[in-house]
Every structure is written in structure tokens, then in C-alpha cells.
């Protein structure tokens, strides 16, 4: 198992509390990143979104991969050596396929070998990102998919996500109903 989330988080909180500093979590985070990089001898980029808690899940699009994320990937990979490899720790509900493609294209121009590490979940567009690498590291608790495109609809201020295929199927059903009704409708005139 890559990470025991319960024990791992408790240990991190204890380690940060023991430092008794305002930036303790940042210090611990940097130590953990350095420890991974010492083992792998590669750069580590972390793209992790806390989307499993109910409040975060309600934010919807704010916790999804967007073109704005390309700026973050650009900043942390800009100075990598062209022949270097990079590890991307990925935990995300997905997001825009176009944004994902753009991020992957940028990473491909900068890194010769990309390894994705999925300790939790990489769904939808995050699955597509994870599958773009040369290696994918997961354990028995990790999850990928589904990769069904979603339509984001604003209905009276409420953001709704619906599978694109379901919308297409409903449109086709409505079209079939109109086509079936058309001869009867034309006979009325």
C-alpha cells in the first residue's frame, strides 16, 4: 500500500504539532517531498485535490482540472532538464479533457519519462492524464475511471454535471418522438 491515509495523516499532524511553528505543515510537506525524491531520484509534482469530503464535492468545478492548472504545472516543471524524468502524484476527480490534454502536451515537451503515482483516486480526465505516462504506480486501494465526458449545466444558479452520453441519448429520443409525431402533426393542417 502506498499510503495508509488514516495512520499517515495522524502521523503528519503529530509531526507538524511537534514543530510548534505557524508553517509546520509546510515544513512537514517539504520534508515528505524531499524524502520521496531521495528514494526515486526524480522530481515530484503533486496535483492533489481534497474532493471526497461533502463540502468539497459541492464545489464541483472548483475542484476539477482546468486550463488554470496548466500555469501551476508550468511553474513547477519549467526548469526541469529536458532528459529528466518526473513523478506526478495525482489525486483528482477529473475535469476538462481539453485542459488535461494541454497539460500532458506541455509535460511531454519537458520530460522524457513521466510516472504517475495514484495513491487514492484519479477519475475521468485524471484517469486520462494518468494513462498518458510511461508508468503508473497504484496499489490495491487506488482507483481509476470512469472516463465519461460530463456536461456542466447551470440550471437556475445550481451547477449540475450530467454524462454527455445521457444528454445525447435524451436528445436522440426527443428527435425520434418529434419525427414519429410529424406525419400526424402535418395532417392536422
Amino acid at each position: 500500500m502506498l499510503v495508509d491515509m488514516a495512520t499517515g495523516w495522524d502521523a503528519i499532524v503529530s509531526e507538524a504539532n511537534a514543530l510548534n511553528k505557524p508553517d509546520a505543515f509546510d515544513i512537514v510537506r517539504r520534508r515528505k517531498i524531499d524524502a520521496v525524491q531521495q528514494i526515486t531520484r526524480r522530481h515530484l509534482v503533486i496535483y492533489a485535490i481534497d474532493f471526497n469530503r461533502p463540502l468539497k464535492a459541492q464545489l464541483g468545478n472548483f475542484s476539477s482540472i482546468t486550463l488554470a492548472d496548466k500555469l501551476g504545472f508550468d511553474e513547477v516543471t519549467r526548469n526541469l532538464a529536458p532528459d529528466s524524468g518526473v513523478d506526478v502524484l495525482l489525486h483528482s476527480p477529473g475535469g476538462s479533457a481539453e485542459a488535461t490534454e494541454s497539460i500532458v502536451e506541455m509535460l511531454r515537451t519537458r520530460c522524457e519519462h513521466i510516472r504517475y503515482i495514484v495513491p487514492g483516486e484519479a477519475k475521468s480526465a485524471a484517469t486520462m492524464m494518468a494513462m498518458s505516462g510511461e508508468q503508473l504506480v497504484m496499489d490495491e486501494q487506488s482507483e481509476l475511471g470512469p472516463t465519461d465526458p460530463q456536461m456542466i449545466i447551470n440550471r437556475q444558479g445550481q451547477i449540475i454535471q450530467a454524462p454527455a452520453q445521457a444528454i445525447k441519448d435524451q436528445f436522440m429520443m426527443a428527435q425520434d418522438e418529434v419525427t414519429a409525431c410529424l406525419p400526424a402533426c402535418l395532417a392536422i393542417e
Side-chain angles (χ1 to χ4, degrees):
M1 178 182 272
L2 288 175
V3 176
D4 180 341
M5 297 305 266
T7 305
W9 181 246
D10 289 344
I12 289 169
V13 170
S14 295
E15 190 175 337
N17 287 339
L19 291 174
N20 198 25
K21 294 183 178 182
D23 59 346
F25 279 99
D26 187 52
I27 292 169
V28 172
R29 179 182 61 82
R30 290 175 187 273
R31 285 179 185 169
K32 302 299 181 193
I33 291 170
D34 289 343
V36 170
Q37 290 176 327
Q38 289 297 321
I39 294 167
T40 64
R41 302 276 186 233
R42 295 164 60 105
H43 297 282
L44 176 64
V45 174
I46 299 174
Y47 185 83
I49 297 171
D50 182 9
F51 66 96
N52 289 325
R53 290 189 290 168
L55 179 61
K56 300 288 183 169
Q58 292 172 12
L59 295 177
N61 221 17
F62 296 113
S63 64
S64 298
I65 299 169
T66 67
L67 280 172
D69 295 321
K70 186 176 180 181
L71 297 174
F73 276 97
D74 174 52
E75 183 177 333
V76 298
T77 62
R78 183 179 302 139
N79 297 321
L80 294 179
D83 61 344
S84 70
V86 67
D87 290 335
V88 179
L89 188 142
L90 183 61
H91 180 73
S92 168
S96 164
E98 293 83 6
T100 300
E101 179 182 23
S102 184
I103 291 166
V104 166
E105 284 180 17
M106 181 186 63
L107 290 175
R108 287 261 156 241
T109 64
R110 295 182 177 178
C111 305
E112 194 172 280
H113 186 275
I114 303 171
R115 176 172 47 208
Y116 287 93
I117 302 168
V118 179
E121 300 172 46
K123 302 292 187 170
S124 196
T127 293
M128 294 171 14
M129 185 182 290
M131 299 304 259
S132 74
E134 281 72 35
Q135 280 184 293
L136 178 57
V137 178
M138 300 172 61
D139 70 8
E140 64 275 357
Q141 300 301 315
S142 302
E143 296 180 22
L144 296 177
T147 56
D148 58 333
Q150 300 284 311
M151 301 292 291
I152 298 169
I153 304 162
N154 185 339
R155 186 180 296 159
Q156 299 172 344
Q158 184 180 9
I159 303 297
I160 299 169
Q161 288 184 264
Q165 186 62 48
I167 293 171
K168 183 178 174 186
D169 292 345
Q170 289 174 359
F171 178 79
M172 295 303 290
M173 186 171 36
Q175 187 177 23
D176 291 345
E177 288 175 11
V178 169
T179 302
C181 180
L182 199 56
C185 293
L186 291 176
I188 295 174
E189 293 180 12

